[in-house]
Amino acid sequence: MTEQQNMAARQTAEIKIMQKVNAAHRESFAIKFPGQIEHILRLTAERLQAGLDKRDGVDIQNPGTWRLTPSEIADLSEAMYYQHLIRDSFTDKAE
């Protein structure tokens, strides 16, 4: 094997190890903190809602009135998406 192939083989082995470690951490988190992912998801959703709540004078059609920047809205939405995927991965393993 060439040096490049050796390096690629080592990187592949390290990636597989890290995937196992990450899976173990996710499982430990779910066992140690049941319901925590739902709590984090709820808090993220509440933050997004608070930033766009029309009771605070927010007009969805007028970005100048938004309490969050478009980037913050996108970040919160993306975070909720990934939190949902993580929650689903726990649910799939429990079934």
Side-chain angles (χ1 to χ4, degrees):
M1 270 203 219
T2 68
E3 183 61 33
Q4 219 172 11
Q5 289 171 325
N6 284 336
M7 188 181 344
R10 275 195 308 272
Q11 287 175 340
T12 301
E14 289 173 5
I15 288 170
K16 288 180 181 178
I17 291 168
M18 287 308 299
Q19 287 173 335
K20 289 179 184 177
V21 168
N22 288 337
H25 286 165
R26 282 192 302 271
E27 289 175 21
S28 295
F29 183 85
I31 292 168
K32 189 170 184 177
F33 304 106
Q36 189 66 23
I37 290 177
E38 288 81 3
H39 178 66
I40 293 168
L41 187 57
R42 207 171 19 259
L43 290 175
T44 306
E46 288 173 5
R47 175 69 183 109
L48 183 58
Q49 180 183 3
L52 295 174
D53 194 342
K54 65 182 178 183
R55 293 176 293 190
D56 292 332
V58 173
D59 177 10
I60 294 296
Q61 306 237 349
N62 181 1
T65 65
W66 297 358
R67 303 181 90 201
L68 298 171
T69 66
S71 176
E72 290 171 320
I73 294 168
D75 290 345
L76 286 167
S77 298
E78 184 179 18
M80 287 179 62
Y81 170 75
Y82 286 112
Q83 291 163 2
H84 182 72
L85 288 179
I86 291 168
R87 186 185 68 179
D88 284 350
S89 74
F90 286 136
T91 306
D92 292 343
K93 291 181 181 182
E95 293 174 348

